[in-house]
Amino acid sequence: MSIGLNHFLIVSGILFSLGIFAIVTRKNAIMVLMGIEFILNASNINFIAFSKFGNFGVQGEVIALFVIVLAACEAAIALAIVLNIYKQFTTVNVDEINNLKN
Amino acid sequence: MNENLMINLSVIALFIPLIGFFFTVVLGKRIKSMYLFEILIISAVMIISALLAFFKLAYYTDAVFIAEFTWIKIQNLPVFGDFSFNLGVKLDNISVIMLFVVAAISTLVHYYSIAYMKGDKRYNRFFAYLGIFTFSMNGIVLTHNLLMMYIFWELVGLSSYLLIGFWYEKKSASDAAKKAFLVNRIGDMGMLAGILIVFFTFHTFTFDEIFGQVASGVLPFNSEFWLTMMGILLFCGAIGKSAQFPLHVWLPDAMEGPTPVSALIHAATMVAAGVYLTVRIFPIMTGDALLFVAVVGMLSAFIPATIALTQTDIKRVLAYSTVSQLGYMIMAIGVGSVVYGFFHLVTHAFFKAGLFLGSGSVIHGMHHEQEITQMGGLRKKMPVTYYTFLIFCLAISGVPFFSGFLSKDGILAATANFSIFTGHWLIPVAAFSVAILTAFYMFRLLILTFHGTPRNQHKYDHAHESPKFMIVPLVILALFSFFFIFSPNPISAENGWTLSSWLKVPNSVVPESARYSFLASAPADGSSGSLYTHEYVESSHHIHYYVLFGSLLLAGIGILFAYLFYQYRKLNADKLTGKITPLYTFSRNKWYFDELYQSTFVAGTMRLAGLLAWFDSTIVDGIVNLSASVTRIFSRISGAFDNYVVDGLVNLFATLSGMFGLILRRFQTGRVQVYLVFVLFSLIVLILTFA
Amino acid sequence: MYDVFFYIFAAITILSAFFVVTTKNVIYAVYSLLLTFFGIAGIYVLLGADFIAIVQIIVYVGGILILMIFGVMLTNKITSVEIKTQTLFVIPTAIGVGIFAGVLIARMITANWRTMPLNIDYSTTVYSIGASLLSDYSVLFILLGILLLITLIGAASIARKED
């Protein structure tokens, strides 16, 4: 069986599920961020795979590029917030941070 | 300077006072010297209007510049079909002259106010109000259609209201402001009705299009009677705004406003707007309508002149004199001499503004004393005010070498000529007697104020000449009261540049059967011909010499009697008034107009209101009470229904929701990750359902 | 060859990702994440998206990963060895996610995608990406630039020391 669209979809699906798993189970906010990165990467794989197999030229790649940029932004902001949270609560465990104002 | 530039400049001159108003009124509270901005703006308007007037009169004397754009376009209206309403400006000689007069006097009054209003707590706001007044007045002057004129008409009414009531802490001032506004409203209703007839008939508001349609035979409801009515209704606006009989009662009360305002608005410009409107609609005024105008003008010239004889408040005398002079202008237009009516507007604007500013200078110098019985002998204390005041008095009395003579003489000649052609002899008689009265009361005022010995030594001792900012406008206005501004010939303006080349009015366009016999149609080739028939012009030349000497004589008589009564005391005024006490009190109480209106219109309105109140309290309230008790019975029933059925349901639902809430509360953990689990499960369900 | 490479990269990606989500040590997780990103980059290459693959490595490995390491370092006391993380409801989540993954993948595989045979031109895609970035997507491109700037400022202002 030669490699087709489905193979890529399976990889991305697994990656997506692992991302959700990380988000749900991890206490550490940074680990949660990693889960989010998984999900974004899974979607990127899908974008490019559909673009290639659907003959859309480079459109999927451009979108993937934008997603990467957004991921970078998101990571920077999120880490800044995490640092701030750490300053406020002296912990980064998301289950202990359940009030908006200290 | 070409046509486009002139149009653009006029639009700029129209709108920058509005900018001045906004900035001054918004920033005036914060920035103490904001009034300087308004002064700057008005000076710019003044320069622009002077440039416009110069180039228009010097290079484009016969041209009429119109620029317009479509503002509203409506198609397929039920009655009118297609209709488009254009906004635009019209620059002809009349409008540029008027614009210059407005801007010039406005500028002088601004400068004057710098000193006069000094120390007032709403100093900046005063200038802002002057700015919006200038804007609205320029709008009236420049517009080329009736609707825009009506809009600006109301705006000047508003600014007049604001300025009369400027010292609104004084009850009399706020009452006067209300009175001015309400009385004006009566006239404006008539004008609005006239505008509606115009629109219904001609489907346009633009003056030139209306004239063209009337000339081609389109009449309201196809009758000359309605054309007359339309003219009279439009003229009603002028009756209100120009304080003509019987709506003149607001103007004397308007003197509660600051004196510069009286000079600018209630003497020189705004009240002249009515005259300006009448000049504008002159071509569609039928003979009957003009006769109405003439009679109104005659009454407004005569009645206030008799009232002014006995008043002792310096500003009230001037106010009645203003009404009287406005009556002159209106009368001049009514007798067909529209050019002299407008000419008198221009000359009167300068010397009456001067008179008011002079009286303001006196009031300022006397520390807010307005009663002439407290004055006297001020000539030595305030020499510049005195001499300029003297010049203005000479001008208004109609003494040769001054501007007033030129215009007044023309009006007198026109009334005489009118009576020759139509036989209405009362109009010239009234006009001539008003000439005597004017000279008499003006010099009475002058003598009582400035000559003789001080009647209140204490106030006299503290009197002082006004500061430069107030003196310089007076001197400039005095300069404009001399004949050489308007005509090279000191005793006749007929061949001067003002009348022979500047003042051009369109010919009457009403059907020949409905207009004065001496008014000529426009020449068929479209060139500008004479307004009048050949015979009329002949006769006016002929009559002019008699009138010239007559008016000289009348002014002389008036001045002479004033001197005999008040300066030399050869005749005793008190003794005379003792003999004719009823007449004196009648005049002193202003012909009881206020009392008359109070007892008829105001009391009538009150009585009507009482009647309506009775109707309300017995009949309407009865119905209301009946329906209330019916409602109460119904509400009893529905209350029972509510208590048992609706409340039961509500309680049931409440219990159910409480139970659900208990269950759902479990899910609200406050942890994001738990929520995410729920999202995950719902996502699974979604995929299974829809994908 | 293609198939072999695909399976290798897929295995790297999935195994390392699995390690990321299961390990207790945050530092290990971050290094494992590095491998995952490499694997994904390899998949991109296999799909003929060379530029994205390079960007993936540069941005993720060079940028985001470093940021995360910094985050870990700054939010844990290095001297204490406690760079561990606890987990929550592992078993129920594992079951739930397993069901989810099964459903998702099953649906994706059974869906009737309208595909074409993969025909990869192994010449570079940089030119065409560049062209479409500056033509079709130019507005978006500019907006992203602005977004990056705002992010820069925002991150700096959020994380700055309170005075």
Side-chain angles (χ1 to χ4, degrees):
Chain A
M1 183 174 139
S2 73
I3 303 298
L5 176 61
N6 285 342
H7 292 78
F8 292 99
L9 292 184
I10 291 166
V11 172
S12 84
I14 293 171
L15 207 54
F16 186 84
S17 306
L18 287 173
I20 288 178
F21 184 80
I23 293 173
V24 174
T25 57
R26 287 314 167 118
K27 275 184 165 186
N28 193 315
I30 293 169
M31 293 302 288
V32 173
L33 277 182
M34 289 182 198
I36 293 172
E37 298 298 343
F38 279 171
I39 289 176
L40 289 172
N41 271 300
S43 72
N44 264 359
I45 293 176
N46 267 11
F47 271 126
I48 294 175
F50 278 119
S51 172
K52 291 296 173 185
F53 283 94
N55 200 8
F56 291 114
V58 293
Q59 288 185 36
E61 290 169 53
V62 173
I63 299 294
L65 196 61
F66 292 155
V67 172
I68 290 174
V69 173
L70 285 177
C73 294
E74 172 255 321
I77 293 286
L79 281 168
I81 292 172
V82 166
L83 287 185
N84 241 4
I85 287 175
Y86 183 70
K87 242 185 291 177
Q88 287 277 334
F89 298 89
T90 60
T91 180
V92 287
N93 285 357
V94 283
D95 58 331
E96 291 163 36
I97 304 158
N98 50 12
N99 49 346
L100 290 173
K101 226 175 141 190
N102 200 3
Chain B
M1 191 177 263
N2 60 16
E3 179 178 344
N4 276 336
L5 184 55
M6 290 180 80
I7 295 280
N8 290 342
L9 277 181
S10 69
V11 174
I12 290 170
L14 171 59
F15 279 105
I16 55 174
L18 188 64
I19 298 170
F21 163 71
F22 273 122
F23 278 93
T24 316
V25 91
V26 171
L27 301 177
K29 275 197 172 161
R30 305 244 177 81
I31 305 171
K32 276 274 173 296
S33 54
M34 200 60 209
Y35 69 96
L36 289 174
F37 180 67
E38 173 62 28
I39 300 266
L40 186 77
I41 292 259
I42 195 72
S43 306
V45 174
M46 159 79 197
I47 291 166
I48 290 173
S49 65
L51 281 175
L52 275 179
F54 175 75
F55 281 99
K56 177 76 176 69
L57 297 176
Y59 295 111
Y60 301 100
T61 320
D62 292 327
V64 175
F65 299 145
I66 292 178
E68 59 180 9
F69 68 94
T70 303
W71 182 37
I72 296 172
K73 191 166 185 149
I74 305 168
Q75 279 164 334
N76 299 325
L77 267 186
V79 183
F80 297 102
D82 293 352
F83 161 71
S84 68
F85 171 49
N86 297 332
L87 293 182
V89 296
K90 178 177 183 176
L91 283 182
D92 57 0
N93 290 353
I94 294 210
S95 60
V96 292
I97 291 173
M98 188 77 182
L99 186 69
F100 173 71
V101 170
V102 171
I105 294 179
S106 192
T107 312
L108 292 176
V109 166
H110 272 75
Y111 280 100
Y112 183 91
S113 306
I114 294 176
Y116 188 86
M117 300 299 288
K118 185 147 249 136
D120 195 280
K121 60 185 166 192
R122 290 188 290 273
Y123 194 63
N124 282 325
R125 192 186 291 182
F126 181 77
F127 285 93
Y129 287 169
L130 287 184
I132 195 171
F133 167 74
T134 311
F135 162 68
S136 4
M137 193 64 208
N138 284 353
I140 289 184
V141 172
L142 288 172
T143 176
H144 85 315
N145 62 68
L146 264 173
L147 188 63
M148 239 169 103
M149 184 176 257
Y150 186 73
I151 293 168
F152 284 109
W153 195 262
E154 297 300 331
L155 272 174
V156 286
L158 169 74
S159 40
S160 158
Y161 169 80
L162 291 174
L163 284 164
I164 295 171
F166 185 71
W167 288 318
Y168 53 74
E169 293 90 348
K170 265 202 306 188
K171 174 117 175 49
S172 58
S174 64
D175 281 351
K178 270 185 281 185
K179 184 173 178 181
F181 202 75
L182 290 176
V183 173
N184 262 309
R185 188 93 306 92
I186 299 168
D188 293 347
M189 279 315 293
M191 185 177 172
L192 183 61
I195 291 176
L196 290 178
I197 295 180
V198 166
F199 179 64
F200 190 75
T201 313
F202 306 113
H203 302 181
T204 177
F205 294 111
T206 313
F207 287 121
D208 292 342
E209 289 175 18
I210 297 169
F211 299 163
Q213 291 200 34
V214 174
S216 62
V218 182
L219 296 181
F221 309 110
N222 284 321
S223 83
E224 286 168 3
F225 170 75
W226 278 104
L227 188 62
T228 307
M229 279 312 289
M230 188 181 88
I232 289 175
L233 283 171
L234 286 173
F235 174 67
C236 279
I239 293 182
K241 194 66 65 194
S242 286
Q244 294 298 292
F245 174 85
L247 300 182
H248 64 273
V249 289
W250 67 269
L251 187 58
D253 285 13
M255 296 303 132
E256 291 291 342
T259 308
V261 172
S262 308
L264 175 62
I265 300 186
H266 306 117
T269 53
M270 185 193 85
V271 287
V275 181
Y276 183 78
L277 169 70
T278 320
V279 171
R280 275 274 182 248
I281 61 173
F282 174 76
I284 51 167
M285 298 291 270
T286 60
D288 293 339
L290 282 177
L291 191 62
F292 178 81
V293 171
V295 171
V296 167
M298 178 189 82
L299 289 172
S300 333
F302 183 73
I303 294 171
T306 59
I307 298 175
L309 293 178
T310 56
Q311 300 300 312
T312 53
D313 181 319
I314 183 168
K315 281 178 77 181
R316 273 185 188 268
V317 175
L318 291 176
Y320 280 109
S321 147
T322 305
V323 179
S324 173
Q325 296 300 313
L326 289 166
Y328 249 86
M329 301 168 205
I330 295 287
M331 179 168 65
I333 297 170
V335 300
S337 178
V338 57
V339 169
Y340 273 107
F342 186 75
F343 184 35
H344 195 55
L345 190 170
V346 174
T347 56
H348 171 262
F350 288 110
F351 60 69
K352 185 49 70 63
L355 280 170
F356 267 105
L357 293 184
S359 78
S361 172
V362 170
I363 293 166
H364 190 74
M366 291 288 280
H367 302 287
H368 295 276
E369 177 56 64
Q370 302 198 2
E371 286 292 314
I372 49 178
T373 52
Q374 303 292 313
M375 298 173 185
L378 287 174
R379 178 182 175 177
K380 292 198 188 63
K381 288 271 188 178
M382 325 175 90
V384 184
T385 309
Y386 169 69
Y387 284 110
T388 51
F389 208 87
L390 179 65
I391 289 169
F392 301 135
C393 277
L394 289 170
I396 196 174
S397 307
V399 173
F401 298 102
F402 295 99
S403 62
F405 178 81
L406 300 172
S407 51
K408 205 175 213 178
D409 181 52
I411 292 174
L412 292 175
T415 56
N417 210 0
F418 176 73
S419 74
I420 290 172
F421 273 80
T422 59
H424 294 287
W425 53 270
L426 195 58
I427 290 177
V429 170
F432 281 92
S433 46
V434 170
I436 306 182
L437 293 175
T438 307
F440 178 76
Y441 67 68
M442 283 320 296
F443 273 85
R444 167 177 174 269
L445 183 68
L446 179 81
I447 293 164
L448 286 178
T449 310
F450 290 103
H451 293 194
T453 50
R455 277 180 287 281
N456 186 330
Q457 194 63 43
H458 172 73
K459 291 213 162 152
Y460 176 80
D461 291 340
H462 288 84
H464 57 83
E465 180 63 289
S466 302
K468 277 211 179 54
F469 269 122
M470 290 166 71
I471 293 299
V472 173
L474 283 176
V475 175
I476 295 172
L477 286 170
L479 208 64
F480 272 93
S481 302
F482 281 99
F483 69 96
F484 50 76
I485 303 288
F486 303 99
S487 162
N489 181 349
I491 54 168
S492 166
E494 208 150 322
N495 299 317
W497 46 81
T498 318
L499 286 191
S500 61
S501 60
W502 290 355
L503 293 180
K504 292 272 166 55
V505 186
N507 283 66
S508 180
V509 293
V510 296
E512 206 144 337
S513 56
R515 69 169 173 239
Y516 286 151
S517 56
F518 56 82
L519 289 178
S521 315
D525 58 359
S527 63
S528 62
S530 167
L531 267 182
Y532 311 105
T533 57
H534 191 60
E535 297 82 36
Y536 182 86
V537 178
E538 283 284 299
S539 163
S540 82
H541 282 304
H542 182 63
I543 205 163
H544 188 244
Y545 292 99
Y546 299 106
V547 173
L548 187 72
F549 293 113
S551 69
L552 259 174
L553 188 69
L554 294 174
I557 290 172
I559 296 172
L560 178 71
F561 269 95
Y563 268 87
L564 284 178
F565 270 112
Y566 298 104
Q567 177 78 6
Y568 304 120
R569 304 275 169 190
K570 297 284 184 212
L571 296 169
N572 191 333
D574 295 334
K575 210 177 263 174
L576 185 64
T577 54
K579 274 186 194 149
I580 49 164
T581 317
L583 279 179
Y584 174 75
T585 45
F586 196 53
S587 158
R588 179 91 183 118
N589 289 306
K590 308 144 195 169
W591 289 41
Y592 295 104
F593 270 114
D594 283 337
E595 287 76 5
L596 179 71
Y597 290 164
Q598 184 72 32
S599 62
T600 52
F601 296 116
V602 179
T605 313
M606 295 294 232
R607 188 122 358 116
L608 184 66
L611 194 69
L612 291 176
W614 174 83
F615 183 81
D616 267 10
S617 62
T618 51
I619 296 178
V620 178
D621 280 10
I623 295 172
V624 170
N625 286 337
L626 181 69
S627 67
S629 35
V630 171
T631 314
R632 209 151 56 198
I633 294 165
F634 271 111
S635 60
R636 285 264 162 72
I637 300 168
S638 86
F641 180 80
D642 272 8
N643 267 337
Y644 299 107
V645 183
V646 180
D647 278 12
L649 276 177
V650 170
N651 285 336
L652 180 69
F653 278 114
T655 323
L656 281 179
S657 347
M659 279 154 65
F660 272 115
L662 281 179
I663 298 167
L664 289 176
R665 198 165 66 182
R666 300 255 177 98
F667 297 102
Q668 304 294 322
T669 56
R671 285 184 188 160
V672 182
Q673 287 160 320
V674 179
Y675 296 155
L676 201 70
V677 174
F678 296 138
V679 171
L680 192 66
F681 277 107
S682 40
L683 206 58
I684 293 171
V685 174
L686 276 181
I687 292 171
L688 287 174
T689 323
F690 296 109
Chain C
M1 273 305 275
Y2 189 88
D3 294 13
V4 175
F5 274 114
F6 173 79
Y7 288 122
I8 290 171
F9 282 127
I12 291 174
T13 306
I14 291 168
L15 289 178
S16 62
F18 192 76
F19 186 70
V20 169
V21 298
T22 49
T23 182
K24 289 239 170 39
N25 192 318
V26 184
I27 295 293
Y28 290 173
V30 172
Y31 282 114
S32 180
L33 192 62
L34 176 74
L35 267 183
T36 314
F37 288 150
F38 267 119
I40 292 169
I43 289 173
Y44 289 161
V45 171
L46 287 178
L47 280 168
D50 56 341
F51 182 67
I52 300 297
I54 299 300
V55 169
Q56 169 87 6
I57 290 173
I58 292 173
V59 174
Y60 272 103
V61 179
I64 296 175
L65 213 58
I66 298 298
L67 262 181
M68 285 186 171
I69 291 172
F70 268 116
V72 173
M73 302 287 187
L74 286 170
T75 56
N76 287 284
K77 291 165 191 76
I78 303 278
T79 45
S80 71
V81 248
E82 188 57 37
I83 313 185
K84 294 266 166 75
T85 172
Q86 290 90 10
T87 50
L88 294 162
F89 343 100
V90 180
I91 308 297
T93 317
I95 296 167
V97 169
I99 294 170
F100 174 74
V103 169
L104 186 70
I105 292 168
R107 281 295 178 187
M108 284 202 293
I109 290 171
T110 54
N112 186 20
W113 304 112
R114 219 174 292 153
T115 55
M116 303 190 175
L118 190 59
N119 182 20
I120 295 172
D121 176 12
Y122 283 104
S123 63
T124 179
T125 56
V126 174
Y127 296 121
S128 42
I129 288 178
S132 62
L133 272 184
L134 292 180
S135 56
D136 296 348
Y137 297 94
S138 57
V139 177
L140 214 53
F141 189 54
I142 292 165
L143 285 178
L144 274 179
I146 296 169
L147 178 73
L148 276 173
L149 178 67
I150 293 170
T151 308
L152 185 70
I153 298 166
S157 88
I158 289 172
R160 81 179 194 284
K161 275 216 168 79
E162 298 288 329
D163 33 16

